[in-house]
Amino acid sequence: MSEECKERKTLISLLVEIWDHFTKLDVDLKTPRAECNYCGKHYACHTIVNGTSNMWSHLKVWKKFSFIVDRKQKVLVLEPKIEKGELGDQNVGTLKAISYNYDECRQALANMVIINELPFNFVEGQRSKLFARTMQPRFDIPSRFTIMRDCLKLYVEEKD
């Protein structure tokens, strides 16, 4: 694949990604506007005249929007570990590089529902969605039916 194709593909993916953070308003077709999903500010988003650079600039300077990260970048996490030593129990931790994985998040959610014997509609509650969005903004909570299928899949795997 040529460099030009790669650059174009990256540009298109960025253009599509901005609409995860903005909602297009149907006010005027000649001067379309978009609203920020987080703070509610309005921005011009005409394809030819404005583009999306003003919206990207808004996200970069907005203090509360702190999760603009490279999706390929791993995050260092401290895994706590308690070891028995000569001086008693000692907190010892190891650093581990992890990356976001949607499937692992879904499996962990299904495990939580099973272990805590939660109803499937728990995942569709407003507070659970807020909690998940706070913990990992990139994780979109699946529907209760998807969680039900994931739980059934885990059950079948454990049974075999």
Side-chain angles (χ1 to χ4, degrees):
M1 185 179 274
S2 70
E3 286 297 319
E4 186 178 323
C5 289
K6 287 181 183 178
E7 288 177 13
R8 184 167 171 80
K9 191 173 183 180
T10 304
L11 178 64
I12 290 172
S13 68
L14 281 175
L15 291 175
V16 171
E17 194 174 301
I18 192 68
W19 295 110
D20 292 340
H21 311 289
F22 286 87
T23 304
K24 200 165 192 176
L25 303 173
D26 294 328
V27 179
D28 186 13
L29 294 175
K30 292 182 180 179
T31 57
R33 310 259 326 149
E35 179 182 29
C36 177
N37 293 342
Y38 308 107
C39 69
K41 284 190 177 179
H42 291 212
Y43 289 90
C45 64
H46 191 278
T47 324
I48 297 168
V49 178
N50 307 107
T52 58
S53 60
N54 59 348
M55 294 185 277
W56 280 114
S57 297
H58 168 70
L59 289 180
K60 287 179 184 173
V61 297
W62 195 50
K63 301 279 189 246
K64 294 180 184 175
F65 187 75
S66 61
F67 49 86
I68 296 179
V69 293
D70 183 8
R71 293 181 184 247
K72 296 176 187 172
Q73 183 72 39
K74 292 191 176 195
V75 178
L76 289 177
V77 177
L78 180 65
E79 284 189 343
K81 184 179 177 184
I82 298 176
E83 289 184 354
K84 303 216 183 252
E86 295 174 1
L87 303 172
D89 291 344
Q90 296 177 355
N91 284 336
V92 179
T94 56
L95 282 178
K96 181 180 177 184
I98 62 166
S99 61
Y100 171 71
N101 187 333
Y102 179 75
D103 294 328
E104 286 179 9
C105 290
R106 269 184 49 182
Q107 188 172 8
L109 183 59
N111 277 329
M112 183 182 74
V113 167
I114 291 170
I115 290 171
N116 295 325
E117 298 177 3
L118 298 170
F120 295 126
N121 66 354
F122 168 79
V123 297
E124 292 182 343
Q126 188 176 13
R127 297 287 180 183
S128 61
K129 286 183 178 183
L130 176 65
F131 176 74
R133 178 73 48 208
T134 304
M135 293 299 289
Q136 178 52 267
R138 291 184 275 173
F139 180 62
D140 292 322
I141 294 187
S143 71
R144 63 178 182 239
F145 301 108
T146 305
I147 292 299
M148 181 182 65
R149 285 193 300 271
D150 290 346
C151 290
L152 185 59
K153 183 180 173 185
L154 282 173
Y155 171 75
V156 170
E157 288 174 1
E158 292 290 324
K159 188 177 175 185
D160 292 338

